[in-house]
Amino acid sequence: MKYRNLGASGVKVSEVSLGSWLTYGTATERETAIACIERAYDLGINFFDTSNAYNHGEAEKVVGEALRKYPRNSYVLATKVFFPMGDGPNDRGLSRKHIVEQCDASLKRLGLDYIDLYQCHRYDSTTPLEETLWALDDLISQGKVLYAGVSEWSAAQIANAKAIEAKRNLRPLVSNQPIYNMLVRYIEKEVLPTCESFGIGQIVFSPLAQGILTGKYKPGQGVPEGTRAANSETNHWINSYLRDDVLTSVQKLEGIAKELGASLSQLAIAWTLRQPGVSSAIIGASRVSQVEENAKAVDVVISDDVLGEIEAVLKEIDGFVPIW
């Protein structure tokens, strides 16, 4: 495994990290989830991502249980806050009340004394940004959180947060967690350059585009049994990718991967890691073999010539906007 600094911070995270969205506590059984986490740890993956909202806290419980056997200083654990955790008016968002209460709830579910990276899962337009940033800063002062980050914030929202940080001398946000893959590239225009100017690292999720960039889905063919697209509980986001023109282009990308002696998934992850502003790419896994295969993406080298071939293929579906 290889490691990069998380933005301009001093903490180092594995280039490939393991997430738990749509898997742990939901589609993946507890024993399998724990086996995936254990194998990831054995392979040198030290960065694990979850959220209080993933299956209403159940993912945090599984991740915490799996990691408890390891020395606390040997891994970096990230979780998030924003989405509803109850029916009350204050059971959601980024108010001081919700952030503080949910931090304590996450720590209890995880069975830990502190969270390495606490992330605002989305932007909250109903709460003053200064209130949110002060709450995060206070949690860091209390030792409950070491670093703070955001997820899917726009370039303008991030810039506004950095201005408040500077004015109030608050501890800096160190990361942003956006979707980023060969088929969803919106961050390249504004988010990446803005974050790089502020020393904010990207922890990209869905580098395999919900599994589309594994090559398992073929144009003109039905959805394979046992896949995420075949599961009505987890296929809400993937369905918009299942177009013949998209899948045809994916097959061409698979050919490029084979020429490099890599799998398509390895190429897709390596493609996200080519960006200097990306600190880590989050993979999901429902099988240990997926962890083993995807961890090898850190060894895939993409030359300028190969990058040009990839860009030529992607231009064929330029304008495609999936639901994510």
Side-chain angles (χ1 to χ4, degrees):
M1 184 49 57
K2 298 176 183 178
Y3 304 87
R4 299 182 181 182
N5 284 69
L6 183 56
S9 77
V11 68
K12 290 179 170 56
V13 295
S14 48
E15 290 186 348
V16 172
S17 47
L18 184 62
S20 55
W21 181 49
L22 295 180
T23 50
Y24 304 156
T26 52
T28 302
E29 296 295 333
R30 172 184 164 278
E31 292 78 9
T32 302
I34 291 175
C36 287
I37 293 172
E38 291 176 341
R39 185 57 181 146
Y41 185 92
D42 291 341
L43 291 170
I45 291 176
N46 77 336
F47 188 27
F48 299 89
D49 179 79
T50 187
S51 170
N52 63 345
Y54 297 165
N55 202 26
H56 212 72
E58 291 304 310
E60 286 183 324
K61 292 179 182 178
V62 174
V63 172
E65 178 184 355
L67 292 175
R68 209 162 296 144
K69 67 181 72 175
Y70 303 116
R72 183 63 185 89
N73 63 348
S74 67
Y75 60 87
V76 179
L77 181 64
T79 191
K80 310 181 193 73
V81 59
F82 171 80
F83 287 110
M85 293 298 288
D87 297 327
N90 291 310
D91 292 333
R92 67 202 67 206
L94 297 178
S95 67
R96 171 182 289 274
K97 177 177 174 62
H98 188 61
I99 287 175
V100 171
E101 290 174 349
Q102 284 306 307
C103 180
D104 288 340
S106 288
L107 287 170
K108 183 176 181 180
R109 285 189 292 266
L110 291 164
L112 299 175
D113 295 324
Y114 65 89
I115 295 164
D116 293 286
L117 178 65
Y118 201 39
Q119 304 160 100
C120 298
H121 210 159
R122 291 294 186 274
Y123 187 82
D124 183 2
S125 61
T126 69
T127 299
L129 181 53
E130 188 166 340
E131 176 180 339
T132 296
L133 297 175
W134 270 117
L136 295 172
D137 191 78
D138 286 344
L139 289 175
I140 295 174
S141 296
Q142 295 165 14
K144 294 180 179 180
V145 170
L146 301 188
Y147 301 92
V150 300
S151 177
E152 285 295 350
W153 282 26
S154 70
Q157 291 163 349
I158 290 170
N160 288 339
K162 299 305 288 188
I164 292 173
E165 283 177 9
K167 182 179 180 180
R168 300 301 185 191
N169 196 29
L170 302 176
R171 293 171 180 85
L173 298 172
V174 301
S175 65
N176 176 46
Q177 186 176 137
I179 187 171
Y180 184 54
N181 56 58
M182 291 177 172
L183 305 179
V184 184
R185 305 174 61 174
Y186 85 90
I187 66 170
E188 293 178 351
K189 184 176 181 180
E190 295 182 349
V191 173
L192 267 176
T194 297
C195 285
E196 287 191 63
S197 70
F198 289 121
I200 293 177
Q202 307 301 302
I203 310 164
V204 301
F205 71 86
S206 198
L208 301 182
Q210 301 294 314
I212 295 297
L213 293 173
T214 64
K216 70 179 70 174
Y217 303 102
K218 308 296 183 183
Q221 299 182 16
V223 174
E225 292 185 10
T227 61
R228 179 175 295 177
N231 186 336
S232 60
E233 295 182 2
T234 59
N235 68 1
H236 174 72
W237 288 273
I238 196 173
N239 286 337
S240 64
Y241 291 89
L242 298 176
R243 292 177 10 182
D244 279 354
D245 59 337
V246 173
L247 299 181
T248 297
S249 292
V250 169
Q251 283 195 312
K252 295 179 181 179
L253 294 172
E254 189 168 17
I256 295 174
K258 289 180 179 178
E259 291 178 0
L260 293 177
S263 68
L264 177 55
S265 62
Q266 291 166 351
L267 177 67
I269 294 168
W271 182 89
T272 68
L273 293 172
R274 86 197 191 285
Q275 289 282 6
V278 172
S279 297
S280 186
I282 303 173
I283 62 169
S286 56
R287 297 190 302 275
V288 169
S289 60
Q290 293 172 334
V291 177
E292 294 172 337
E293 177 183 349
N294 293 336
K296 296 177 182 176
V298 299
D299 295 320
V300 176
V301 178
I302 303 177
S303 67
D304 290 341
D305 289 341
V306 172
L307 186 59
E309 292 181 43
I310 293 171
E311 289 298 323
V313 172
L314 295 179
K315 282 184 179 179
E316 297 175 359
I317 50 173
D318 188 37
F320 166 65
V321 181
I323 297 172
W324 50 270

